[in-house]
Amino acid sequence: MAIVSVIIPAFNAEKYVGRCLRSIANQTYPHDRYEVIVIDDGSHDKTGQALEPYIDQIRLLKNDSCRGLSYSLNRGIRQARGQFVVRLDADDYVHQEYLNILALHLQMNKAIDAIACDYLLVDDDETVISTESCEATPIGCGVMFRQEQLIDVGLYDEDFLGREDEDLRIRFMTKYTIHRVALPLYRYRRHAANMTNDTAHMKYYQRALEKKHGL
């Protein structure tokens, strides 16, 4: 029985997804205690071929068309068999102690609702740009939740095709807490295709966020 479910949404991720999956396969956390769910969100590049070497190590879900990040994440969470759920984007990768350290906190302290780790910001060649605090500059990944609490707050809002993590965090924090592990266990890759580079797109969902939550 899996304790942790790793949710990996992938859209046109042929260049990066192999690195991502190698990092999650190389965890010190016992392999029989976690599962990896990859959601191919209607990719039209060679993401499918890139996944083939790992097909025996993952549970692969395929969307018939591109449904968006929030839809894919929700589909993965609903399929999760683990008590704990953690997101890993297909263009990122993680330290080998990523699952072990985060899961240990949730298993040993029932008062911790969710646990987040710091991260390294890296470029396309995996050169470290900076070390970032998950409290000062939070991202959508690198946070391990208890599955029932994610369901309780309503999962991701599928109307948000950007800033979905911020919307979830606002709703989650009204009822629960997110603790910090001051260790950079996550590697967040900065590259030209990052959604956050689309300024108009991000501004649109910033306004949607402000309207929804009265910010």
Side-chain angles (χ1 to χ4, degrees), residues 160-214:
F160 275 75
L161 302 180
R163 300 192 184 276
E164 75 296 325
D165 56 311
E166 296 174 52
D167 171 68
L168 176 67
R169 183 180 289 265
I170 291 170
R171 289 184 286 114
F172 189 86
M173 295 290 283
T174 61
K175 192 170 184 179
Y176 302 110
T177 57
I178 300 176
H179 290 250
R180 176 193 179 199
V181 174
L183 296 172
L185 303 174
Y186 195 91
R187 282 81 173 103
Y188 179 75
R189 192 190 299 265
R190 176 71 57 79
H191 57 84
N194 284 139
M195 183 188 300
T196 52
N197 293 335
D198 188 337
T199 304
H201 180 86
M202 296 304 289
K203 283 185 176 179
Y204 176 87
Y205 285 102
Q206 177 63 37
R207 291 192 294 270
L209 199 68
E210 292 167 356
K211 182 178 180 181
K212 179 177 179 178
H213 297 287

Side-chain angles (χ1 to χ4, degrees), residues 63-199:
N63 297 338
D64 292 334
S65 60
C66 181
R67 301 292 300 272
L69 182 56
S70 293
Y71 175 91
S72 297
L73 288 166
N74 285 347
R75 187 179 180 192
I77 294 167
R78 291 189 180 105
Q79 291 284 326
R81 299 169 180 156
Q83 303 170 39
F84 311 140
V85 174
V86 67
R87 170 180 163 185
L88 170 57
D89 283 355
D91 50 356
D92 299 335
Y93 57 104
V94 291
H95 188 276
Q96 63 182 2
E97 295 288 351
Y98 178 62
L99 296 183
N100 188 41
I101 291 175
L102 296 185
L104 189 65
H105 280 75
L106 294 186
Q107 285 179 281
M108 296 191 69
N109 192 338
K110 302 299 183 182
I112 295 178
D113 298 318
I115 189 74
C117 64
D118 290 350
Y119 60 96
L120 299 181
L121 184 65
V122 302
D123 66 16
D124 215 9
D125 298 318
E126 301 184 8
T127 301
V128 175
I129 300 170
S130 61
T131 302
E132 302 291 336
S133 162
C134 62
E135 288 185 342
T137 51
I139 55 175
C141 304
V143 188
M144 187 174 286
F145 296 94
R146 299 184 189 275
Q147 187 195 35
E148 71 271 14
Q149 293 178 350
L150 278 180
I151 293 171
D152 181 48
V153 300
L155 302 180
Y156 288 90
D157 185 337
E158 295 177 16
D159 290 333
F160 275 75
L161 302 180
R163 300 192 184 276
E164 75 296 325
D165 56 311
E166 296 174 52
D167 171 68
L168 176 67
R169 183 180 289 265
I170 291 170
R171 289 184 286 114
F172 189 86
M173 295 290 283
T174 61
K175 192 170 184 179
Y176 302 110
T177 57
I178 300 176
H179 290 250
R180 176 193 179 199
V181 174
L183 296 172
L185 303 174
Y186 195 91
R187 282 81 173 103
Y188 179 75
R189 192 190 299 265
R190 176 71 57 79
H191 57 84
N194 284 139
M195 183 188 300
T196 52
N197 293 335
D198 188 337
T199 304

